[in-house]
Amino acid sequence: MKAKFSSMTLSERMAKMDIPTSGNIATVIDSDTFNEIDDQFAIAWAMLRHDRIDLQAIYAAPFTNSMFNDSHEAVSDPNVGMTLSYEEIERVIDRVKVEKKPEIFKGSTRYVYQSTTAERSDAVNDLIARAHACEEVLQVVSIGAPTNIAHALLADPSITDKIHVLWLGGHSFDWHDTEEFNLLQDKDASRVLLNSGVALTLFPCMGVTNTLATSVPELQYYLAGTSEIGDYLAQEAPKCPWIGFANRKVIWDIAPIGYLIDASWYTETFVASPILNDNLTWSFDNRRHPVRVIKFIERDELFVDLFNRLIKG
């Protein structure tokens, strides 16, 4: 699939990457929520920071994963992963006690590389409509494979000029490869995002957001017995099959939410949008459009705010 994306000037693109320093920020989240136990933290935190984030909608992203523990069968169909994520989003927002709750939409049933045309799922249609209706720049937090967002960009390239995507994907540029889960799930969607010229802030995983580490005992110590959502997260935290004795638990997906709350917690730089190679490494061409890349995160600032919000639920 090919699309002719809108062409922004450098100043226009940089302006769209600016985060307002005050007020509520129009935001949507695109999430493979059932895949792990970090999307749940991101969604709950965004909802509980309604003083800062106007969370309007959550989109269920597709995923496939063979690494579940004994209580779950492996997910080999992206449509199944998307449906499981939709159901998990419902469970999370039901436990967060806020007056205004975001709408939920089912997303893509197939990856971009499996498609011959852009799939107009409910999530894609809502993202397109919401982008056009938003008076300011719509902040699109992507904490899964960027399939829904890529389908939306391909279906309506004009939204390139109306959104800012905050994507947790890939590894840092000095890592030996970029074999990261969100990027790997749908490499074609990742390329659409990187090549489209959309205003983009990239949150690399290894080398940057892996600093957002906690542990199951720490989560249970601070959250168990505090609130309905706190209890749920403390209960679910040990269920990731790769968390063993004394292992850390990285809450990757809170990174973009924290950036919307307070960008001063982050160190950033601007580079030419990277090129995703077939061998899953990065290469660069300085003639390409710029993107913002997060280099360092003040980990404690995020966790202090996160835990303080969750315990009040």
PDB file of all heavy atoms in Angstrom, residues 127-156:
ATOM      1  N   LEU A 127     -10.187   7.422  15.167  1.00  0.00           N
ATOM      2  CA  LEU A 127      -8.968   8.231  15.163  1.00  0.00           C
ATOM      3  C   LEU A 127      -9.012   9.273  14.061  1.00  0.00           C
ATOM      4  O   LEU A 127      -8.670  10.446  14.280  1.00  0.00           O
ATOM      5  CB  LEU A 127      -7.742   7.332  15.000  1.00  0.00           C
ATOM      6  CG  LEU A 127      -6.390   8.040  14.864  1.00  0.00           C
ATOM      7  CD1 LEU A 127      -6.137   8.992  16.027  1.00  0.00           C
ATOM      8  CD2 LEU A 127      -5.265   7.026  14.742  1.00  0.00           C
ATOM      9  N   ILE A 128      -9.453   8.888  12.893  1.00  0.00           N
ATOM     10  CA  ILE A 128      -9.543   9.837  11.781  1.00  0.00           C
ATOM     11  C   ILE A 128     -10.534  10.952  12.108  1.00  0.00           C
ATOM     12  O   ILE A 128     -10.233  12.142  11.947  1.00  0.00           O
ATOM     13  CB  ILE A 128      -9.933   9.109  10.487  1.00  0.00           C
ATOM     14  CG1 ILE A 128      -8.788   8.200  10.022  1.00  0.00           C
ATOM     15  CG2 ILE A 128     -10.307  10.109   9.385  1.00  0.00           C
ATOM     16  CD1 ILE A 128      -9.155   7.269   8.887  1.00  0.00           C
ATOM     17  N   ALA A 129     -11.719  10.573  12.586  1.00  0.00           N
ATOM     18  CA  ALA A 129     -12.742  11.567  12.903  1.00  0.00           C
ATOM     19  C   ALA A 129     -12.293  12.484  14.037  1.00  0.00           C
ATOM     20  O   ALA A 129     -12.483  13.709  13.983  1.00  0.00           O
ATOM     21  CB  ALA A 129     -14.049  10.866  13.277  1.00  0.00           C
ATOM     22  N   ARG A 130     -11.673  11.900  15.061  1.00  0.00           N
ATOM     23  CA  ARG A 130     -11.262  12.687  16.224  1.00  0.00           C
ATOM     24  C   ARG A 130     -10.115  13.632  15.864  1.00  0.00           C
ATOM     25  O   ARG A 130     -10.037  14.756  16.379  1.00  0.00           O
ATOM     26  CB  ARG A 130     -10.873  11.744  17.361  1.00  0.00           C
ATOM     27  CG  ARG A 130     -11.073  12.304  18.753  1.00  0.00           C
ATOM     28  CD  ARG A 130     -10.843  11.222  19.801  1.00  0.00           C
ATOM     29  NE  ARG A 130     -11.889  10.229  19.801  1.00  0.00           N
ATOM     30  CZ  ARG A 130     -13.004  10.297  20.516  1.00  0.00           C
ATOM     31  NH1 ARG A 130     -13.207  11.361  21.277  1.00  0.00           N
ATOM     32  NH2 ARG A 130     -13.908   9.335  20.474  1.00  0.00           N
ATOM     33  N   ALA A 131      -9.210  13.184  14.997  1.00  0.00           N
ATOM     34  CA  ALA A 131      -8.109  14.040  14.564  1.00  0.00           C
ATOM     35  C   ALA A 131      -8.633  15.263  13.831  1.00  0.00           C
ATOM     36  O   ALA A 131      -8.173  16.392  14.057  1.00  0.00           O
ATOM     37  CB  ALA A 131      -7.151  13.242  13.673  1.00  0.00           C
ATOM     38  N   HIS A 132      -9.615  15.061  12.954  1.00  0.00           N
ATOM     39  CA  HIS A 132     -10.171  16.187  12.200  1.00  0.00           C
ATOM     40  C   HIS A 132     -10.981  17.116  13.095  1.00  0.00           C
ATOM     41  O   HIS A 132     -11.034  18.328  12.846  1.00  0.00           O
ATOM     42  CB  HIS A 132     -11.040  15.674  11.059  1.00  0.00           C
ATOM     43  CG  HIS A 132     -10.254  15.130   9.900  1.00  0.00           C
ATOM     44  ND1 HIS A 132      -9.424  15.911   9.129  1.00  0.00           N
ATOM     45  CD2 HIS A 132     -10.173  13.870   9.382  1.00  0.00           C
ATOM     46  CE1 HIS A 132      -8.863  15.174   8.190  1.00  0.00           C
ATOM     47  NE2 HIS A 132      -9.290  13.930   8.316  1.00  0.00           N
ATOM     48  N   ALA A 133     -11.612  16.574  14.128  1.00  0.00           N
ATOM     49  CA  ALA A 133     -12.480  17.376  14.989  1.00  0.00           C
ATOM     50  C   ALA A 133     -11.705  18.141  16.062  1.00  0.00           C
ATOM     51  O   ALA A 133     -12.204  19.138  16.597  1.00  0.00           O
ATOM     52  CB  ALA A 133     -13.525  16.487  15.657  1.00  0.00           C
ATOM     53  N   CYS A 134     -10.500  17.685  16.373  1.00  0.00           N
ATOM     54  CA  CYS A 134      -9.730  18.287  17.466  1.00  0.00           C
ATOM     55  C   CYS A 134      -9.264  19.686  17.082  1.00  0.00           C
ATOM     56  O   CYS A 134      -8.672  19.890  16.015  1.00  0.00           O
ATOM     57  CB  CYS A 134      -8.533  17.392  17.797  1.00  0.00           C
ATOM     58  SG  CYS A 134      -7.618  17.923  19.262  1.00  0.00           S
ATOM     59  N   GLU A 135      -9.533  20.647  17.946  1.00  0.00           N
ATOM     60  CA  GLU A 135      -9.145  22.032  17.659  1.00  0.00           C
ATOM     61  C   GLU A 135      -7.640  22.228  17.778  1.00  0.00           C
ATOM     62  O   GLU A 135      -7.056  23.079  17.108  1.00  0.00           O
ATOM     63  CB  GLU A 135      -9.878  22.986  18.604  1.00  0.00           C
ATOM     64  CG  GLU A 135     -11.391  23.013  18.382  1.00  0.00           C
ATOM     65  CD  GLU A 135     -12.088  24.011  19.286  1.00  0.00           C
ATOM     66  OE1 GLU A 135     -11.396  24.693  20.068  1.00  0.00           O
ATOM     67  OE2 GLU A 135     -13.328  24.113  19.201  1.00  0.00           O
ATOM     68  N   GLU A 136      -7.010  21.459  18.665  1.00  0.00           N
ATOM     69  CA  GLU A 136      -5.566  21.507  18.820  1.00  0.00           C
ATOM     70  C   GLU A 136      -4.960  20.257  18.183  1.00  0.00           C
ATOM     71  O   GLU A 136      -5.623  19.577  17.411  1.00  0.00           O
ATOM     72  CB  GLU A 136      -5.209  21.593  20.313  1.00  0.00           C
ATOM     73  CG  GLU A 136      -5.863  22.755  21.040  1.00  0.00           C
ATOM     74  CD  GLU A 136      -5.432  24.107  20.507  1.00  0.00           C
ATOM     75  OE1 GLU A 136      -4.293  24.205  19.984  1.00  0.00           O
ATOM     76  OE2 GLU A 136      -6.208  25.078  20.610  1.00  0.00           O
ATOM     77  N   VAL A 137      -3.731  19.962  18.515  1.00  0.00           N
ATOM     78  CA  VAL A 137      -3.086  18.741  18.034  1.00  0.00           C
ATOM     79  C   VAL A 137      -3.539  17.577  18.915  1.00  0.00           C
ATOM     80  O   VAL A 137      -3.478  17.653  20.138  1.00  0.00           O
ATOM     81  CB  VAL A 137      -1.553  18.874  18.078  1.00  0.00           C
ATOM     82  CG1 VAL A 137      -0.886  17.571  17.643  1.00  0.00           C
ATOM     83  CG2 VAL A 137      -1.104  20.026  17.197  1.00  0.00           C
ATOM     84  N   LEU A 138      -4.002  16.504  18.301  1.00  0.00           N
ATOM     85  CA  LEU A 138      -4.413  15.319  19.049  1.00  0.00           C
ATOM     86  C   LEU A 138      -3.176  14.496  19.382  1.00  0.00           C
ATOM     87  O   LEU A 138      -2.418  14.104  18.498  1.00  0.00           O
ATOM     88  CB  LEU A 138      -5.394  14.492  18.232  1.00  0.00           C
ATOM     89  CG  LEU A 138      -5.924  13.223  18.906  1.00  0.00           C
ATOM     90  CD1 LEU A 138      -6.774  13.569  20.128  1.00  0.00           C
ATOM     91  CD2 LEU A 138      -6.722  12.377  17.916  1.00  0.00           C
ATOM     92  N   GLN A 139      -2.985  14.216  20.677  1.00  0.00           N
ATOM     93  CA  GLN A 139      -1.862  13.397  21.125  1.00  0.00           C
ATOM     94  C   GLN A 139      -2.266  11.923  21.033  1.00  0.00           C
ATOM     95  O   GLN A 139      -3.241  11.499  21.651  1.00  0.00           O
ATOM     96  CB  GLN A 139      -1.477  13.744  22.566  1.00  0.00           C
ATOM     97  CG  GLN A 139      -1.251  15.232  22.812  1.00  0.00           C
ATOM     98  CD  GLN A 139      -0.070  15.793  22.035  1.00  0.00           C
ATOM     99  OE1 GLN A 139       0.928  15.106  21.821  1.00  0.00           O
ATOM    100  NE2 GLN A 139      -0.171  17.049  21.612  1.00  0.00           N
ATOM    101  N   VAL A 140      -1.513  11.155  20.261  1.00  0.00           N
ATOM    102  CA  VAL A 140      -1.823   9.743  20.034  1.00  0.00           C
ATOM    103  C   VAL A 140      -0.727   8.911  20.692  1.00  0.00           C
ATOM    104  O   VAL A 140       0.399   8.830  20.192  1.00  0.00           O
ATOM    105  CB  VAL A 140      -1.919   9.427  18.529  1.00  0.00           C
ATOM    106  CG1 VAL A 140      -2.262   7.955  18.322  1.00  0.00           C
ATOM    107  CG2 VAL A 140      -2.951  10.327  17.857  1.00  0.00           C
ATOM    108  N   VAL A 141      -1.047   8.311  21.831  1.00  0.00           N
ATOM    109  CA  VAL A 141      -0.087   7.492  22.572  1.00  0.00           C
ATOM    110  C   VAL A 141      -0.171   6.067  22.049  1.00  0.00           C
ATOM    111  O   VAL A 141      -1.200   5.403  22.176  1.00  0.00           O
ATOM    112  CB  VAL A 141      -0.384   7.531  24.086  1.00  0.00           C
ATOM    113  CG1 VAL A 141       0.507   6.546  24.831  1.00  0.00           C
ATOM    114  CG2 VAL A 141      -0.199   8.949  24.626  1.00  0.00           C
ATOM    115  N   SER A 142       0.915   5.589  21.470  1.00  0.00           N
ATOM    116  CA  SER A 142       0.965   4.245  20.892  1.00  0.00           C
ATOM    117  C   SER A 142       1.870   3.377  21.752  1.00  0.00           C
ATOM    118  O   SER A 142       3.088   3.575  21.788  1.00  0.00           O
ATOM    119  CB  SER A 142       1.496   4.313  19.453  1.00  0.00           C
ATOM    120  OG  SER A 142       1.651   3.014  18.924  1.00  0.00           O
ATOM    121  N   ILE A 143       1.275   2.396  22.448  1.00  0.00           N
ATOM    122  CA  ILE A 143       2.051   1.529  23.341  1.00  0.00           C
ATOM    123  C   ILE A 143       1.857   0.062  22.948  1.00  0.00           C
ATOM    124  O   ILE A 143       1.719  -0.821  23.783  1.00  0.00           O
ATOM    125  CB  ILE A 143       1.697   1.776  24.831  1.00  0.00           C
ATOM    126  CG1 ILE A 143       0.184   1.814  25.052  1.00  0.00           C
ATOM    127  CG2 ILE A 143       2.324   3.088  25.294  1.00  0.00           C
ATOM    128  CD1 ILE A 143      -0.224   2.009  26.513  1.00  0.00           C
ATOM    129  N   GLY A 144       1.857  -0.156  21.650  1.00  0.00           N
ATOM    130  CA  GLY A 144       1.775  -1.488  21.076  1.00  0.00           C
ATOM    131  C   GLY A 144       2.275  -1.406  19.652  1.00  0.00           C
ATOM    132  O   GLY A 144       2.918  -0.421  19.250  1.00  0.00           O
ATOM    133  N   ALA A 145       1.996  -2.426  18.872  1.00  0.00           N
ATOM    134  CA  ALA A 145       2.288  -2.330  17.444  1.00  0.00           C
ATOM    135  C   ALA A 145       1.468  -1.170  16.863  1.00  0.00           C
ATOM    136  O   ALA A 145       0.279  -1.044  17.174  1.00  0.00           O
ATOM    137  CB  ALA A 145       1.929  -3.632  16.744  1.00  0.00           C
ATOM    138  N   PRO A 146       2.071  -0.320  16.037  1.00  0.00           N
ATOM    139  CA  PRO A 146       1.351   0.858  15.543  1.00  0.00           C
ATOM    140  C   PRO A 146       0.422   0.546  14.376  1.00  0.00           C
ATOM    141  O   PRO A 146       0.233   1.376  13.482  1.00  0.00           O
ATOM    142  CB  PRO A 146       2.490   1.799  15.129  1.00  0.00           C
ATOM    143  CG  PRO A 146       3.579   0.888  14.690  1.00  0.00           C
ATOM    144  CD  PRO A 146       3.485  -0.326  15.595  1.00  0.00           C
ATOM    145  N   THR A 147      -0.201  -0.618  14.401  1.00  0.00           N
ATOM    146  CA  THR A 147      -1.023  -1.071  13.285  1.00  0.00           C
ATOM    147  C   THR A 147      -2.229  -0.172  13.056  1.00  0.00           C
ATOM    148  O   THR A 147      -2.511   0.234  11.926  1.00  0.00           O
ATOM    149  CB  THR A 147      -1.470  -2.522  13.523  1.00  0.00           C
ATOM    150  OG1 THR A 147      -0.314  -3.331  13.770  1.00  0.00           O
ATOM    151  CG2 THR A 147      -2.226  -3.066  12.325  1.00  0.00           C
ATOM    152  N   ASN A 148      -2.981   0.102  14.127  1.00  0.00           N
ATOM    153  CA  ASN A 148      -4.164   0.951  13.975  1.00  0.00           C
ATOM    154  C   ASN A 148      -3.791   2.320  13.429  1.00  0.00           C
ATOM    155  O   ASN A 148      -4.480   2.870  12.558  1.00  0.00           O
ATOM    156  CB  ASN A 148      -4.870   1.115  15.326  1.00  0.00           C
ATOM    157  CG  ASN A 148      -5.520  -0.156  15.821  1.00  0.00           C
ATOM    158  OD1 ASN A 148      -5.919  -1.020  15.039  1.00  0.00           O
ATOM    159  ND2 ASN A 148      -5.632  -0.284  17.138  1.00  0.00           N
ATOM    160  N   ILE A 149      -2.716   2.889  13.942  1.00  0.00           N
ATOM    161  CA  ILE A 149      -2.303   4.225  13.527  1.00  0.00           C
ATOM    162  C   ILE A 149      -1.851   4.218  12.069  1.00  0.00           C
ATOM    163  O   ILE A 149      -2.182   5.112  11.291  1.00  0.00           O
ATOM    164  CB  ILE A 149      -1.197   4.752  14.452  1.00  0.00           C
ATOM    165  CG1 ILE A 149      -1.719   4.816  15.886  1.00  0.00           C
ATOM    166  CG2 ILE A 149      -0.699   6.119  13.995  1.00  0.00           C
ATOM    167  CD1 ILE A 149      -0.646   4.983  16.925  1.00  0.00           C
ATOM    168  N   ALA A 150      -1.105   3.176  11.687  1.00  0.00           N
ATOM    169  CA  ALA A 150      -0.659   3.071  10.294  1.00  0.00           C
ATOM    170  C   ALA A 150      -1.845   2.917   9.351  1.00  0.00           C
ATOM    171  O   ALA A 150      -1.889   3.555   8.285  1.00  0.00           O
ATOM    172  CB  ALA A 150       0.301   1.890  10.143  1.00  0.00           C
ATOM    173  N   HIS A 151      -2.827   2.091   9.716  1.00  0.00           N
ATOM    174  CA  HIS A 151      -4.019   1.947   8.879  1.00  0.00           C
ATOM    175  C   HIS A 151      -4.739   3.291   8.747  1.00  0.00           C
ATOM    176  O   HIS A 151      -5.233   3.633   7.660  1.00  0.00           O
ATOM    177  CB  HIS A 151      -4.971   0.907   9.480  1.00  0.00           C
ATOM    178  CG  HIS A 151      -4.631  -0.510   9.123  1.00  0.00           C
ATOM    179  ND1 HIS A 151      -4.517  -0.943   7.818  1.00  0.00           N
ATOM    180  CD2 HIS A 151      -4.410  -1.596   9.891  1.00  0.00           C
ATOM    181  CE1 HIS A 151      -4.231  -2.240   7.810  1.00  0.00           C
ATOM    182  NE2 HIS A 151      -4.151  -2.662   9.053  1.00  0.00           N
ATOM    183  N   ALA A 152      -4.797   4.069   9.833  1.00  0.00           N
ATOM    184  CA  ALA A 152      -5.450   5.374   9.774  1.00  0.00           C
ATOM    185  C   ALA A 152      -4.689   6.333   8.859  1.00  0.00           C
ATOM    186  O   ALA A 152      -5.292   7.067   8.063  1.00  0.00           O
ATOM    187  CB  ALA A 152      -5.575   5.962  11.180  1.00  0.00           C
ATOM    188  N   LEU A 153      -3.368   6.335   8.959  1.00  0.00           N
ATOM    189  CA  LEU A 153      -2.557   7.207   8.102  1.00  0.00           C
ATOM    190  C   LEU A 153      -2.689   6.819   6.632  1.00  0.00           C
ATOM    191  O   LEU A 153      -2.720   7.684   5.752  1.00  0.00           O
ATOM    192  CB  LEU A 153      -1.090   7.132   8.525  1.00  0.00           C
ATOM    193  CG  LEU A 153      -0.733   7.805   9.855  1.00  0.00           C
ATOM    194  CD1 LEU A 153       0.658   7.384  10.300  1.00  0.00           C
ATOM    195  CD2 LEU A 153      -0.825   9.325   9.737  1.00  0.00           C
ATOM    196  N   LEU A 154      -2.774   5.526   6.370  1.00  0.00           N
ATOM    197  CA  LEU A 154      -2.922   5.065   4.989  1.00  0.00           C
ATOM    198  C   LEU A 154      -4.324   5.352   4.456  1.00  0.00           C
ATOM    199  O   LEU A 154      -4.496   5.677   3.278  1.00  0.00           O
ATOM    200  CB  LEU A 154      -2.629   3.561   4.916  1.00  0.00           C
ATOM    201  CG  LEU A 154      -1.172   3.161   5.133  1.00  0.00           C
ATOM    202  CD1 LEU A 154      -1.061   1.659   5.374  1.00  0.00           C
ATOM    203  CD2 LEU A 154      -0.302   3.565   3.950  1.00  0.00           C
ATOM    204  N   ALA A 155      -5.335   5.239   5.327  1.00  0.00           N
ATOM    205  CA  ALA A 155      -6.713   5.483   4.902  1.00  0.00           C
ATOM    206  C   ALA A 155      -6.976   6.969   4.673  1.00  0.00           C
ATOM    207  O   ALA A 155      -7.729   7.341   3.766  1.00  0.00           O
ATOM    208  CB  ALA A 155      -7.687   4.932   5.943  1.00  0.00           C
ATOM    209  N   ASP A 156      -6.351   7.821   5.501  1.00  0.00           N
ATOM    210  CA  ASP A 156      -6.558   9.263   5.375  1.00  0.00           C
ATOM    211  C   ASP A 156      -5.247   9.977   5.685  1.00  0.00           C
ATOM    212  O   ASP A 156      -5.005  10.400   6.822  1.00  0.00           O
ATOM    213  CB  ASP A 156      -7.656   9.731   6.334  1.00  0.00           C
ATOM    214  CG  ASP A 156      -7.986  11.216   6.163  1.00  0.00           C
ATOM    215  OD1 ASP A 156      -7.288  11.896   5.383  1.00  0.00           O
ATOM    216  OD2 ASP A 156      -8.928  11.693   6.814  1.00  0.00           O
TER     217      ASP A 156
END
